[in-house]
Amino acid sequence: MSRFHISGGNALHGDVAVKGAKNAALKLMVATLLAPGEHRLDNVPGIIDVEIMRQVLEHVGATTRRENGSLVVDVPESPRPEAPIELVRKMRASILVLGALLARCGEARVALPGGDDFGSRPIDMHLEGLKAFGAQFELVHGELVATAPDGLEGAEVMLEFPSVGATENLILAAVLAKGTSVIGNAAREPELADMASLLNKMGAKIEGAGTSTITVRGVPNLEPAHHRVVPDRLEAGTYAVAAAITGGTVRVVDCIPEHLRMELRKLEATGCEITHGDDWFQVTGPARPSPVDFATLPYPGFHTDMHPQMVALLSVCEGVSVVTENIYAARFRYIGELNRMGADITTDGQHIVVRGVETLSSCPVDGTDIRAGAALVCAALRAEGETVVTEVHHIDRGYTDFVENLASLGADIERIEESD
Ligand code: EPU
């Protein structure tokens, strides 16, 4: 167990490079299960979630090895079609093996993920869609037992909500199904489009990934492939907020600003100066941000995983901001921690009212999930005194070299191991 000690007040300056996206790398790793043989993924981030997904792949019989920034996955001819509770509990994204294993093996046993700090997080849309493809499900002692007695057959599925995970599970199941599938009201996230791009390199016939209607023409088999993970827009966006809240100037490189259009637009509205090229952007923060209202929405709307960091920035704005969280029912635990640092934030249902304060002051805070932790670190970079952020293993799930990168930009931040 580690904690971060952060002394606020230093404006950040310099360049920082972002790594491959967590939420793409995990899906690409699952997608490899669809073809036996050796796949190579470049720009895979060095984060804990990738290590957990390696354990999932190894549990089903694949071998994996790291080669510098790349991950090589060797997929067997006959994978073991199961993901146990220990791994699904550690990481919800393991549920994506359901579609892939059903497609590959005609059956799958995957522990049912429970709720988490964001609310109940059901998987009803995943299951309904897979049923339309011919899958049958039974819940046996907390484990979903899935079968496709007659094989999977393409169908038209209209999602009730553009769920990222449900769209991905359906694509993974559809690529080896008989016939054509059409997924309507599909999620449009760049990470999902990245997974479709790998699958097409493997020989799949997917059209429309990145739009609301995705068409998949089933093929009998796929080949292993080589792919580079798309840059992490959430890591890039978090450094943008860190620059903004400290009133510094940071150039974020190896990223795709196009994937952060809404978030950068809202940062500009707080008074940040932003310039960009195709694969970099630069943020200069204002002395004190202006208030801004925003609502989280599926891509290309404002990303829910940038909401806590943005609220940290708005906590010191000159005025009142209103934020609406539309994706998760219960993403508010970090707010109590920000208030302990002197912020003035209240919630009413899905709405958050942020009354900007002039200064934040340090105190011990818990980062209860990846983005809550990142938001508290951003707040600590501005707060007076030394803030101690605990539960940082959550941050380690999503950010490579977070402390080192912030320190290289001039932050006074140190990781302390609990036993020290
Ligand atoms: N939902 C349902 N039923 C379903 C599926 C989803 O009700 O069958 C609800 C969820 O409970 C949630 C909403 O729909 O309230 C959105 O869920 P979605 O399926 O879109 O999200 P996800 O695939 O579970 C991914 C990311 C999350 C990110 C969301 C939203 C991964 C591994 N996770 O989750 O990332 O917040 O999309 O963009 O890709 C993070 O990286 O910190 C993180 C939590």
Side-chain angles (χ1 to χ4, degrees):
M1 295 291 259
S2 311
R3 56 185 192 268
F4 295 169
H5 287 227
I6 303 158
S7 295
N10 292 0
L12 302 192
H13 287 283
D15 285 11
V16 62
V18 304
K19 299 285 192 307
K22 164 177 90 73
N23 291 346
L26 298 176
K27 323 309 171 54
L28 297 169
M29 290 170 75
V30 173
T32 64
L33 290 177
L34 289 172
E38 196 170 280
H39 303 253
R40 175 178 288 270
L41 302 175
D42 296 337
N43 200 26
V44 173
I47 52 174
I48 288 177
D49 276 15
V50 164
E51 294 310 306
I52 300 172
M53 189 57 91
R54 280 179 73 178
Q55 289 174 30
V56 174
L57 298 186
E58 283 173 7
H59 185 91
V60 306
T63 56
T64 66
R65 66 176 193 277
R66 274 274 186 191
E67 282 181 6
N68 301 316
S70 303
L71 183 74
V72 179
V73 183
D74 199 347
V75 176
E77 286 292 340
S78 307
R80 171 152 60 138
E82 62 170 42
I85 186 68
E86 309 85 77
L87 296 174
V88 177
R89 241 195 213 131
K90 280 190 202 161
M91 190 180 62
R92 288 181 57 86
S94 324
I95 191 67
L96 286 178
V97 297
L98 190 61
L101 290 176
L102 255 175
R104 201 51 218 296
C105 314
E107 58 171 327
R109 289 183 304 282
V110 179
L112 192 65
D116 59 16
D117 279 351
F118 301 168
S120 62
R121 293 187 78 180
I123 54 160
D124 52 316
M125 285 185 262
H126 300 233
L127 302 187
E128 262 170 49
L130 292 171
K131 278 183 195 161
F133 293 170
Q136 295 175 2
F137 295 97
E138 213 186 332
L139 186 63
V140 183
H141 302 298
E143 202 178 51
L144 268 175
V145 179
T147 49
D150 305 319
L152 295 176
E153 194 151 340
E156 265 193 57
V157 176
M158 173 63 76
L159 293 174
E160 195 178 322
F161 175 89
S163 152
V164 178
T167 307
E168 289 164 341
N169 236 332
L170 294 181
I171 293 176
L172 289 164
V175 287
L176 289 176
K178 279 180 241 141
T180 299
S181 304
V182 180
I183 308 167
N185 198 22
R188 292 181 278 168
E189 266 64 7
E191 296 78 19
L192 179 154
D194 199 40
M195 184 188 82
S197 153
L198 166 67
L199 286 167
N200 281 342
K201 283 184 192 164
M202 290 164 64
K205 302 248 174 296
I206 306 168
E207 280 170 24
T211 75
S212 299
T213 306
I214 300 176
T215 305
V216 184
R217 287 182 181 78
V219 295
N221 46 49
L222 297 168
E223 300 288 325
H226 180 185
H227 186 78
R228 186 175 174 80
V229 183
V230 71
D232 197 319
R233 61 192 159 120
L234 300 169
E235 190 189 4
T238 302
Y239 290 122
V241 169
I245 199 167
T246 62
T249 297
V250 170
R251 208 163 69 102
V252 182
V253 303
D254 296 348
C255 64
I256 304 180
E258 175 75 10
H259 291 167
L260 272 169
R261 253 178 316 170
M262 185 59 72
E263 294 77 8
L264 293 180
R265 208 168 110 188
K266 290 289 174 182
L267 276 174
E268 260 180 333
T270 68
C272 289
E273 275 173 37
I274 300 182
T275 50
H276 70 89
D278 288 342
D279 62 356
W280 63 271
F281 64 85
Q282 178 170 299
V283 177
T284 299
R288 208 165 155 204
S290 304
V292 165
D293 298 342
F294 72 92
T296 63
L297 284 170
Y299 187 80
F302 195 101
H303 202 310
T304 178
D305 291 338
M306 279 299 298
H307 134 194
Q309 301 90 310
M310 190 70 176
V311 168
L313 173 66
L314 294 175
S315 73
V316 290
C317 75
E318 217 162 357
V320 179
S321 309
V322 179
V323 176
T324 304
E325 170 55 52
N326 289 311
I327 308 296
Y328 293 116
R331 179 161 225 172
F332 301 124
R333 277 181 65 187
Y334 72 96
I335 289 175
E337 300 300 272
L338 279 180
N339 284 344
R340 294 177 58 244
M341 295 177 76
D344 181 359
I345 308 174
T346 50
T347 57
D348 182 3
Q350 295 303 100
H351 306 291
I352 307 170
V353 179
V354 189
R355 292 181 183 80
V357 295
E358 225 172 301
T359 51
L360 296 172
S361 66
S362 61
C363 72
V365 286
D366 272 351
T368 49
D369 69 73
I370 307 177
R371 312 303 166 189
L376 292 168
V377 169
C378 289
L381 291 172
R382 175 149 182 149
E384 285 174 355
E386 187 187 80
T387 301
V388 178
V389 183
T390 51
E391 308 256 358
V392 298
H393 55 278
H394 290 295
I395 300 179
D396 293 337
R397 291 186 52 194
Y399 294 88
T400 314
D401 299 333
F402 198 43
V403 167
E404 293 76 2
N405 284 343
L406 289 171
S408 79
L409 295 171
D412 186 343
I413 179 168
E414 199 185 354
R415 177 191 289 268
I416 307 279
E417 299 303 328
E418 260 337 93
S419 54
D420 290 2

